Amino acid sequence: MEVPEDQKLYTLQFGLLCLSSLLFSASFNMIIPELPAYLSSLGGAEHKGLIISLFTLTAGISRPFSGRLTDKWGRVPVMAIGSIVCVLCGFFYPILTSISGFFLLRLVHGFSTGFKPTATSAYIADIIPSTRWGEALGMHGLCFSIGGAIGPAIGSYIAMDYGLNSMFYASSAFAFFSIIIVMNMKETLNTRQRFSPKMLKISRRDIIEVRVIPAAIVTMLSYTAYGVILTLIPDWSDHLGIANKGMFFLAYTLASIAVRFVSGKVADRYGRIAVMKVGLVIITISIFYIGYSDNILNLVIGACLYGIGTGIFSPAVNAWTIDLSLPQYRGKAMATMYIALEAGIGAGALFAGYIFHDHITRIPYIMYADAIIVFLAFAYVLYWDKKRKNTLIN
């Protein structure tokens, strides 16, 4: 679908998409800060690394299916499926209260992020001219981040004042309103096909879009940091005396939001590669700083640095992914990038959980080790850019 270069960015269609993503993000992020303590209360403290890794496992597994369905069945129904999963899981957390039941829900819950973001990114590419993809993805990411900021803060408040079950039900409510918005949006896929079980038959060609592998490598390495943060920050916050475990996520997200007002435009103007380099350096520094933090102020500063880094990096790498892909394979391209994202988050969570084992003194060393991994993403971008320039010269 070709979009005229003079097409407006801030349309009702784009605004509804952003609002739906905000509510969706708030829904599944709302419960994250309280889950480590909740799992400990169930007797599964030693398995905290699985809280995030199981979620990302099914998110990653579902990406090839969501990418194929996005390109064949349509953007809107795939987005709706993601929100529906969140609605159902929010109702089942209070019912399945065993350790095995909890982990089953984390697996199922992962399908939500395996579907909605993939179709959303393709939808944005359909309605926005290519010269403004960075700006559009940055603004959408801003709304997604707002959801990520208010979700944990609201979730922790509800959990403290009204109990965990109320928090889970609130998560379902946010996802439900996201569905209402999505189902009233216009489909943008011109050559839609009726849903058929055959669409779920995946070949190796449907899993990975090889053109975007460079973006996938950078994404995977950089997002190990988020897996580490999701796993360790609730306990690290508690250790430093922070009552509301969502404070770190609020500070990080607010910083990310502030940067996203301009980072997408900068990526469109000066190039994705240059912007990604800056973002990756800041993320690396932030992870070191978070590990170094020994009081609330330093932890908040580290959160803000991480938010600034991701706010710069994320729109640029998303736009780069679309740049590298072909229009007819945008769904598969975004699915490939998100598979890498989930793999990075899952690997980071597993690594952190395996080393941590409720030994609080190990957290700084885990952070330092992961900062090195993020720096490898920066090194790869340098290598790829140098190789590209040499190819152009020759």
Side-chain angles (χ1 to χ4, degrees):
M1 176 178 170
E2 293 296 326
V3 182
E5 292 300 315
D6 60 351
Q7 172 76 34
K8 291 182 179 180
L9 172 59
Y10 301 108
T11 61
L12 177 62
Q13 195 175 18
F14 182 68
L16 288 173
L17 185 71
C18 289
L19 178 59
S20 173
S21 292
L22 186 155
L23 294 169
F24 172 76
S25 175
S27 171
F28 76 86
N29 278 298
M30 182 179 294
I31 66 176
I32 288 176
E34 300 300 325
L35 290 185
Y38 178 63
L39 180 59
S40 294
S41 71
L42 297 179
E46 68 273 21
H47 303 302
K48 289 181 180 179
L50 294 176
I51 292 174
I52 302 301
S53 58
L54 289 178
F55 184 93
T56 57
L57 174 63
T58 45
I61 291 173
S62 66
R63 295 291 182 187
F65 299 95
S66 65
R68 183 175 171 82
L69 290 171
T70 295
D71 289 335
K72 292 184 177 297
W73 188 25
R75 320 313 195 189
V76 170
V78 175
M79 286 191 288
I81 288 174
S83 294
I84 289 169
V85 170
C86 281
V87 172
L88 295 176
C89 286
F91 277 105
F92 275 98
Y93 277 110
I95 297 173
L96 301 179
T97 55
S98 65
I99 295 176
S100 58
F102 173 81
F103 285 135
L104 174 62
L105 278 175
R106 293 307 291 166
L107 278 169
V108 174
H109 210 160
F111 281 104
S112 62
T113 57
F115 274 75
K116 194 172 192 304
T118 301
T120 299
S121 297
Y123 196 102
I124 290 174
D126 288 343
I127 65 173
I128 302 298
S130 60
T131 54
R132 302 186 72 182
W133 279 343
E135 181 182 357
L137 290 166
M139 293 304 297
H140 173 264
L142 184 152
C143 294
F144 201 90
S145 295
I146 291 174
I150 65 173
I154 293 173
S156 291
Y157 170 77
I158 293 174
M160 287 188 295
D161 285 15
Y162 301 100
L164 288 170
N165 287 354
S166 296
M167 179 191 70
F168 291 132
Y169 296 141
S171 173
S172 289
F174 273 68
F176 177 75
F177 288 119
S178 175
I179 297 171
I180 298 299
I181 294 171
V182 165
M183 296 308 296
N184 286 281
M185 293 180 65
K186 180 182 177 181
E187 178 58 59
T188 59
L189 182 63
N190 291 329
T191 56
R192 290 188 65 188
Q193 300 177 21
R194 287 181 176 273
F195 175 78
S196 168
K198 291 181 180 179
M199 291 182 182
L200 300 176
K201 186 177 181 181
I202 300 294
S203 67
R204 279 185 287 183
R205 291 184 303 172
D206 297 315
I207 297 175
I208 299 295
E209 174 54 53
V210 294
R211 295 174 184 83
V212 303
I213 285 178
I217 291 173
V218 175
T219 299
M220 182 180 68
L221 292 172
S222 62
Y223 272 89
T224 57
Y226 195 52
V228 170
I229 284 172
L230 289 174
T231 303
L232 300 182
I233 287 302
D235 285 295
W236 194 232
S237 297
D238 188 56
H239 172 70
L240 296 179
I242 301 176
N244 190 322
K245 296 171 185 175
M247 181 183 291
F248 176 95
F249 298 96
L250 179 63
Y252 130 70
T253 309
L254 289 176
S256 179
I257 288 169
V259 172
R260 286 175 189 266
F261 279 109
V262 296
S263 61
K265 292 182 180 180
V266 173
D268 286 334
R269 182 170 181 179
Y270 296 103
R272 326 302 191 193
I273 301 299
V275 173
M276 283 193 296
K277 290 176 184 177
V278 174
L280 287 169
V281 168
I282 297 175
I283 292 173
T284 301
I285 293 171
S286 72
I287 301 303
F288 266 113
Y289 197 89
I290 291 169
Y292 170 78
S293 300
D294 58 357
N295 57 57
I296 296 174
L297 177 61
N298 282 336
L299 185 64
V300 171
I301 292 173
C304 290
L305 283 173
Y306 182 69
I308 291 169
T310 55
I312 292 172
F313 171 77
S314 181
V317 76
N318 286 350
W320 187 38
T321 303
I322 298 175
D323 289 343
L324 294 174
S325 67
L326 297 176
Q328 64 268 36
Y329 297 126
R330 281 174 184 161
K332 183 166 68 169
M334 295 311 300
T336 300
M337 190 274 288
Y338 279 118
I339 288 171
L341 182 148
E342 305 294 356
I345 295 174
L350 277 177
F351 164 72
Y354 178 77
I355 302 297
F356 177 42
H357 266 266
D358 272 355
H359 294 283
I360 205 72
T361 56
R362 295 179 181 176
I363 288 181
Y365 301 104
I366 298 172
M367 291 291 180
Y368 301 151
D370 189 67
I372 296 172
I373 296 174
V374 176
F375 185 78
L376 291 177
F378 172 77
Y380 179 80
V381 171
L382 290 179
Y383 163 78
W384 186 92
D385 193 33
K386 182 178 180 180
K387 184 179 178 181
R388 178 183 63 88
K389 290 177 180 177
N390 288 339
T391 302
L392 293 175
I393 292 173
N394 296 330

